[in-house]
């Protein structure tokens, strides 16, 4: 579905452009303040717009965007800034590089099946050293749409593994979506 969309010249949608994207970038950069963010991993980078904006706000950081859609990767490579690399890959695969900041924005609700969702959360939480930021639907999406989801979407609650804790903020322009900022829990 996504590969065909990008191949037709489509984008990642409202989550990667306009007020929603600008708000996410602002929140991500705010969460990064006071932290040494030198490496960024964007799991499900899509059209790359938000990742490039975050990278621009973190001068000197290197960036790796991974997406399963070959046409998204090609689109991103065509607009890649210095220190940015894009690869086709499975964001649920074990062995992702460890980085300072992991992004997974508007991706989890596109994964098919609880197992893929859980594997993605484990991959995200296993890859970050300092921060991870996830944008995902919250339970209000069910209140709004009931069981009338598009075929390529599903709602699943975000359950964090032991050793990871987070703060959550609902998006002001779309309260059915939450931005989760994750850090390592102190023992």
């Amino acid at each position: 579905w996504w590969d065909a969309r990008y191949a037709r010249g489509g984008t990642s949608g409202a989550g990667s452009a306009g007020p929603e994207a600008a708000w996410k970038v602002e929140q991500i950069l705010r969460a990064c303040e006071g932290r040494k963010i030198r490496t960024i991993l964007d799991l499900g980078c899509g059209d790359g717009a938000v990742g490039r904006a975050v990278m621009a706000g973190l001068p000197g950081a290197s960036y790796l965007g991974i997406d399963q859609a070959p046409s998204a990767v090609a689109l991103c490579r065509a607009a890649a800034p210095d220190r940015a690399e894009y690869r086709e890959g499975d964001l649920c695969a074990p062995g992702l590089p460890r980085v300072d900041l992991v992004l997974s924005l508007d991706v989890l609700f596109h994964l098919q099946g609880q197992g893929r969702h859980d594997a993605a959360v484990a991959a995200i939480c296993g890859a970050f050293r300092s921060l991870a930021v996830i944008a995902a639907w919250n339970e209000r999406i069910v209140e709004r749409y009931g069981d009338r989801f598009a075929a390529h979407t599903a709602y699943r609650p975000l359950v964090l593994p032991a050793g990871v804790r987070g703060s959550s903020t609902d998006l002001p322009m779309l309260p059915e979506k939450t931005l989760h900022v994750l850090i390592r829990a102190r023992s």
Side-chain angles (χ1 to χ4, degrees):
W1 192 91
W2 284 104
D3 193 43
R5 178 180 172 126
Y6 292 119
R8 288 189 310 268
T11 67
S12 296
S16 74
E20 183 177 336
W23 184 87
K24 286 179 199 168
V25 170
E26 179 183 329
Q27 300 306 308
I28 292 165
L29 294 176
R30 185 175 293 146
C32 291
E33 287 176 0
R35 298 177 184 273
K36 293 180 181 173
I37 305 296
R38 294 187 182 106
T39 53
I40 305 165
L41 175 61
D42 192 351
L43 296 173
C45 62
D47 63 21
V50 173
R52 287 189 300 275
V54 169
M55 192 178 172
L58 296 170
S62 65
Y63 172 96
L64 172 59
I66 297 177
D67 204 283
Q68 68 181 19
S71 57
V73 173
L75 178 72
C76 289
R77 285 178 177 160
D82 290 342
R83 298 176 327 281
E85 179 184 350
Y86 296 92
R87 292 186 201 156
E88 185 180 339
D90 182 357
L91 64 104
C92 301
L96 293 170
R98 297 258 308 157
V99 297
D100 300 320
L101 171 63
V102 173
L103 304 174
S104 184
L105 308 173
D106 303 330
V107 174
L108 293 178
F109 48 78
H110 291 296
L111 299 176
Q112 298 300 308
Q114 186 69 48
R116 293 262 311 146
H117 172 88
D118 294 346
V121 172
I124 293 163
C125 292
F128 81 88
R129 285 192 288 257
S130 185
L131 286 174
V133 180
I134 297 172
W137 283 340
N138 59 48
E139 62 281 346
R140 287 190 194 104
I141 198 71
V142 176
E143 295 167 12
R144 181 173 181 181
Y145 291 107
D147 61 356
R148 299 178 317 274
F149 288 100
H152 65 283
T153 62
Y155 166 69
R156 293 175 195 88
L158 179 64
V159 177
L160 300 177
V164 174
R165 64 182 174 87
S167 62
S168 302
T169 306
D170 295 341
L171 277 67
M173 67 290 299
L174 186 63
E176 296 87 4
K177 197 181 287 183
T178 300
L179 194 73
H180 304 273
V181 177
L182 311 182
I183 61 172
R184 300 277 169 217
R186 296 182 187 194
S187 17

